[in-house]
Amino acid sequence: MNIIRTSAVELSTIPAIAYKQKLSAGGAGIKILRLDLEASAVGSIDKRTGEIVAYGKIDAKLFPPEAFDEALELVAGLPYSARGKIALKAYAEVEVEDVPDEDDGEAAEDESAAEEISEEPDKLDMTHSAEYIAIVERYSDENGKLNYTLMNKDFIQFASRSKVVTTMVAERAKTDDIVLFVIKSRAALIAGKRESLDDVYAAALIATLDEINPRSAFKELKAHLNRLLARKK
């Protein structure tokens, strides 16, 4: 079964591999798999603090906090994609799943509930979209990590040239609305598409890019737009 996750990294803190994944409940998590015994653990990432929060029961002796800290640092900037089994050097293939080993006590959602949450940005899978794929290909560095500085510089240049953005700033539009327009328009151009994403899927694209790094993916773009809006007061 494929899950939406980053490539796996090898830890030095403990004999284990780790990766970041999109959790079925929404948001992102770090999963660690021991290589010396059959054991794994998952920690969700707090959106506000960027810290790891235990997801289910975790044995601190097998999975100390510093192992999660190391994993989080190593996967920062690595993009998501749909991935299945992983193999690391001489180790046997390990089947990975998008749920923790311990049951978190939540009942499975029925189809109607699944449809209801499908419009929540952080629960939509944008990794198969042409826009996401194009952004990852365009702005990834030689290590396969997204270069957020380069990405923001490009999007800021687009915003600076856009007559629509100039009008939105003059009309005192909200920063988030301008960001949404810029991301929709620029992503469509990069992907070579005539039509841009609608607001829901554009928000999902931003949410996915946000999860790749602990900070906001478009922090510099937002700061740039805020400065433009401040001049209009």
Side-chain angles (χ1 to χ4, degrees):
M1 177 183 68
N2 288 342
I3 62 172
I4 307 304
R5 64 173 179 83
T6 66
S7 57
V9 296
E10 187 172 6
L11 305 185
S12 61
T13 311
I14 58 174
I17 55 175
Y19 55 84
K20 183 189 290 186
Q21 69 182 74
K22 288 186 71 68
L23 300 174
S24 58
I30 294 290
K31 183 158 188 175
I32 301 178
L33 300 95
R34 297 278 306 211
L35 294 170
D36 55 344
L37 46 86
E38 293 186 6
S40 64
V42 174
S44 61
I45 301 175
D46 189 296
K47 294 180 181 179
R48 297 169 300 174
T49 65
E51 297 179 351
I52 300 293
V53 179
Y55 195 83
K57 296 179 181 179
I58 295 179
D59 187 336
K61 293 182 179 180
L62 296 179
F63 303 98
E66 52 267 29
F68 277 99
D69 291 340
E70 181 187 12
L72 186 61
E73 180 180 355
L74 290 176
V75 301
L78 289 177
Y80 286 134
S81 64
R83 302 171 185 267
K85 291 182 179 180
I86 55 178
L88 185 63
K89 296 180 181 178
Y91 297 107
E93 285 192 337
V94 180
E95 182 72 43
V96 298
E97 301 177 356
D98 60 348
V99 293
D101 290 343
E102 298 292 338
D103 185 3
D104 63 6
E106 295 183 359
E109 298 168 331
D110 57 24
E111 292 184 0
S112 60
E115 291 178 358
E116 182 179 349
I117 66 172
S118 65
E119 296 301 291
E120 296 183 29
D122 63 348
K123 294 181 181 179
L124 288 173
D125 177 15
M126 294 301 294
T127 60
H128 294 292
S129 70
E131 291 82 359
Y132 174 83
I133 293 172
I135 286 174
V136 169
E137 290 180 349
R138 187 180 185 92
Y139 303 113
S140 289
D141 61 21
E142 63 276 8
N143 297 315
K145 293 191 174 187
L146 273 181
N147 186 326
Y148 280 76
T149 300
L150 178 61
M151 183 175 70
N152 274 269
K153 181 179 179 181
D154 190 9
F155 278 70
I156 288 172
Q157 289 177 344
F158 173 84
S160 299
R161 297 192 301 266
S162 171
K163 294 181 179 179
V164 174
V165 170
T166 300
T167 300
M168 293 179 77
V169 170
E171 294 177 349
R172 309 284 304 145
K174 295 181 179 179
T175 302
D176 288 344
D177 291 339
I178 304 176
V179 168
L180 199 61
F181 167 77
V182 172
I183 277 38
K184 289 166 60 174
S185 302
R186 184 58 181 154
L189 286 174
I190 294 172
K193 296 179 65 176
R194 293 179 178 274
E195 296 183 2
S196 60
L197 296 168
D198 63 23
D199 288 354
V200 171
Y201 284 91
L205 175 63
I206 295 173
T208 299
L209 294 170
D210 280 344
E211 288 178 6
I212 293 175
N213 212 42
R215 66 190 180 93
S216 170
F218 295 101
K219 183 178 181 179
E220 287 81 3
L221 173 61
K222 292 178 181 178
H224 170 75
L225 294 174
N226 284 332
R227 288 193 293 270
L228 293 180
L229 289 168
R231 296 172 187 168
K232 295 297 180 180
K233 288 184 179 180

